[in-house]
Amino acid sequence: MPMTALDIFKLLPKKNCGECGVPTCLAFAMMLANKQAELTKCPYVSPDVVEQLESSASPPMRTVKVGNIEIGGETELFRHEKKFFNQTAYALIIEDDVDDQRIVERAKKLDAMKYERIGIVSGVDLIGVKAKGDAQRFSDAVTLVNDNSGLPLVLMSEDPEVVESGLKVVSKSKPLIYAGSTNNCASMAKLAKEYACPLALYADDIDELVSLSEVAKSEGIEDIVLDLNLGAKPLRQTLEWLTILRRLSVKKLFRPLGFPVMINLDNGADVETQAIRAAIGTLKYTSLIIFKDLDPARLYPLTTLRTNIYTDPQALIQVNPGLYEIGKPNRNSPVIVTSNFSLTYFTVASDIEASKVPAHLLVVDTEGLSVMTAFAADKFTPEKIAETLTEYKVADKVDHRKLIIPGMIAMLKMKLEELTGWEVIVGVKDSSALPKYLKELSNG
Ligand code: SF4
């Protein structure tokens, strides 16, 4: 648990000299506890106390960067308590025992495995290059993958010499070394230190994992990812251990396990349960999941699940207000008004596309609320719509002066006409009726 002001006060010099900028040590302790002051302001704290206070102030779980992907850094057991910070990253494996052409094709394919949903692009995040042969072959495979994909890499081998051959190629882009185990932890930690790359630690039981973490830390490694072989354990045990590991890091502040947790589904998980394991891992506390392979049809629901879990529950997903062109509208195309709640925007935009009638979509800043919620909260008002119409110079884009508003806010019509001078047409109540409505409108 974080230290209270009283805990901190007990460690301060109690000179009450005021040199830290506040009159007493207790006042300074209170400021430290509230993270409103820096410990360096007191010139009299001993190095021991500095170390004690700094370690208590460090986050419960370290954020680890692999290439440009951040994992871990979580502080909560439950999303609703605050939010989860770094979404589960998905890695797919390329083995080095296939010919070069297949490696290149697969690297390009994984790089392109991306989906867009409500404006969020999601897909495969990393590629695991797995050694099946010697150091030279591994180095060649890493080079091919690196040259044909922009994704960060996981270098997978138990042999430090093989891993080093890959590190010599890609260490600048900070791949994850997978993995240090009881057989090789010190050597892998030395490589991680020399090449300044994150290190995954693999163990089959918790005590072993704690020892490995301590060995790696004693070698000066800070960026650690934990693998408790949960890809191969029974599902119930997997869920239990994921929960225990998260509790130990964020609630008990148990430092040897204060790192992101990963699951390697290449470690014996049968294909049938792979998607279930990945879903459990995404829901419960897994920062990185490695798949031997994954059908795009299974990746899509997983990325959707991930988006749902890792969005901030207190921040609505929204699009920027503005005038959007759907299709290729001209000066006679209809102007349709909607809110900037992301789901509303993408639903309306796709229904307009389905109608095959190009239109201008005027998106009003409703602070991310949907049409009816924004109306009820007084954030979708005639004044706001009129301001948006002016701000985005809609009158310069069309020759007509007709504005279609959602049927649910028909009561705004008169006031809006008064404010804008435009003819306000009450449209459909439900976006799904838009295709038919727009087709009839364009046919006169
Ligand atoms: Fe206490 Fe240090 Fe502040 Fe002096 S400078 S009042 S000793 S905390």
Side-chain angles (χ1 to χ4, degrees):
M1 297 295 287
M3 280 188 170
T4 63
L6 206 55
D7 296 331
I8 298 170
F9 172 67
K10 286 177 189 161
L11 298 170
L12 291 177
K14 302 187 191 65
K15 283 172 173 275
N16 294 328
C17 63
E19 288 182 43
C20 55
V22 288
T24 63
C25 295
L26 182 59
F28 188 55
M30 289 171 76
M31 291 185 75
L32 285 174
N34 291 325
K35 302 199 183 330
Q36 293 166 334
E38 300 273 329
L39 189 57
T40 49
K41 296 265 181 195
C42 171
Y44 304 110
V45 262
S46 68
D48 279 2
V49 171
V50 171
E51 197 180 315
Q52 222 174 316
L53 289 175
E54 275 177 352
S55 85
S56 114
S58 62
M61 183 192 294
R62 189 166 173 86
T63 302
V64 174
K65 210 165 173 194
V66 183
N68 57 357
I69 305 263
E70 288 193 342
I71 56 173
E74 303 300 341
T75 57
E76 311 303 325
L77 264 187
F78 302 106
R79 174 178 175 263
H80 61 260
E81 287 172 340
K82 194 185 221 173
K83 66 171 188 170
F84 292 159
F85 290 88
N86 292 305
Q87 67 176 13
T88 310
Y90 298 144
L92 264 72
I93 289 176
I94 297 180
E95 294 179 337
D96 69 359
D97 63 346
V98 293
D99 64 52
D100 290 0
Q101 185 58 31
R102 280 185 63 191
I103 291 180
V104 169
E105 281 168 12
R106 185 155 162 82
K108 287 182 177 170
K109 186 179 159 197
L110 297 185
D111 201 38
M113 252 166 105
K114 295 196 173 17
Y115 309 97
E116 187 175 338
R117 183 175 172 272
I118 54 165
I120 299 170
V121 178
S122 205
V124 176
D125 306 293
L126 305 104
I127 295 178
V129 186
K130 184 176 175 184
K132 304 280 275 188
D134 61 15
Q136 183 56 53
R137 180 58 194 153
F138 187 64
S139 160
D140 293 345
V142 169
T143 307
L144 285 170
V145 174
N146 194 46
D147 290 349
N148 289 283
S149 150
L151 297 175
L153 303 185
V154 184
L155 304 182
M156 304 176 72
S157 171
E158 289 172 10
D159 184 342
E161 193 191 325
V162 171
V163 168
E164 185 164 21
S165 71
L167 284 170
K168 283 179 179 162
V169 180
V170 290
S171 65
K172 280 199 185 124
S173 51
K174 306 287 170 223
L176 175 66
I177 298 171
Y178 183 87
S181 63
T182 38
N183 302 328
N184 61 16
C185 187
S187 313
M188 290 293 200
K190 282 196 175 74
L191 284 179
K193 178 89 176 158
E194 185 182 339
Y195 290 92
C197 290
L199 173 66
L201 299 174
Y202 166 83
D204 199 50
D205 80 51
I206 192 76
D207 294 334
E208 203 179 314
L209 194 61
V210 170
S211 313
L212 291 177
S213 169
E214 280 163 352
V215 170
K217 286 183 97 176
S218 70
E219 294 285 344
I221 307 303
E222 297 289 343
D223 290 331
I224 291 170
V225 182
L226 305 171
D227 179 1
L228 191 53
N229 196 19
L230 298 178
K233 291 191 165 48
L235 280 172
R236 181 178 166 174
Q237 246 186 54
T238 301
L239 181 57
E240 277 173 3
W241 273 113
L242 287 169
T243 308
I244 291 167
L245 287 167
R246 173 61 67 92
R247 288 192 74 84
L248 284 170
S249 65
V250 306
K251 292 292 175 201
K252 304 290 177 190
L253 297 183
F254 184 58
R255 296 297 174 185
L257 298 177
F259 300 101
V261 171
M262 64 176 286
I263 293 179
N264 181 4
L265 293 172
D266 187 38
N267 269 357
D270 65 272
V271 178
E272 290 309 310
T273 60
Q274 186 169 274
I276 298 169
R277 287 174 183 280
I280 288 173
T282 303
L283 285 163
K284 286 289 177 187
Y285 315 139
T286 311
S287 296
L288 168 65
I289 300 176
I290 298 184
F291 301 83
K292 184 177 173 68
D293 202 0
L294 188 65
D295 186 332
R298 289 196 163 160
L299 177 64
Y300 183 69
L302 277 175
T303 54
T304 304
L305 174 70
R306 176 172 75 173
T307 302
N308 287 340
I309 299 299
Y310 282 88
T311 45
D312 183 347
Q314 293 167 48
L316 296 161
I317 309 175
Q318 40 189 292
V319 294
N320 291 329
L323 187 66
Y324 290 78
E325 293 189 348
I326 312 294
K328 287 191 178 143
N330 58 33
R331 301 189 65 79
N332 296 314
S333 298
V335 178
I336 301 167
V337 176
T338 194
S339 80
N340 78 327
F341 175 44
S342 198
L343 202 53
T344 303
Y345 168 83
F346 284 101
T347 307
V348 173
S350 79
D351 286 331
I352 296 173
E353 271 171 22
S355 76
K356 308 254 187 294
V357 178
H360 302 275
L361 183 56
L362 183 65
V363 175
V364 177
D365 183 1
T366 56
E367 299 175 28
L369 296 175
S370 63
V371 171
M372 273 314 283
T373 319
F375 171 70
D378 219 15
K379 293 184 189 302
F380 206 179
T381 60
E383 289 78 8
K384 202 121 181 216
I385 299 171
E387 271 168 33
T388 313
L389 195 68
T390 308
E391 187 180 348
Y392 294 99
K393 300 187 171 56
V394 184
D396 295 347
K397 306 272 169 59
V398 290
D399 291 335
H400 63 81
R401 294 294 177 263
K402 290 178 185 167
L403 202 55
I404 301 172
I405 61 170
M408 301 296 269
I409 53 168
M411 54 293 272
L412 303 188
K413 175 179 161 68
M414 281 178 68
K415 180 74 179 170
L416 191 54
E417 285 184 336
E418 204 178 286
L419 288 171
T420 61
W422 286 47
E423 179 188 347
V424 174
I425 301 167
V426 176
V428 292
K429 285 189 175 170
D430 191 304
S431 174
S432 61
L434 260 178
K436 186 167 175 272
Y437 173 80
L438 287 174
K439 272 183 206 151
E440 286 171 1
L441 199 73
S442 72
N443 292 333

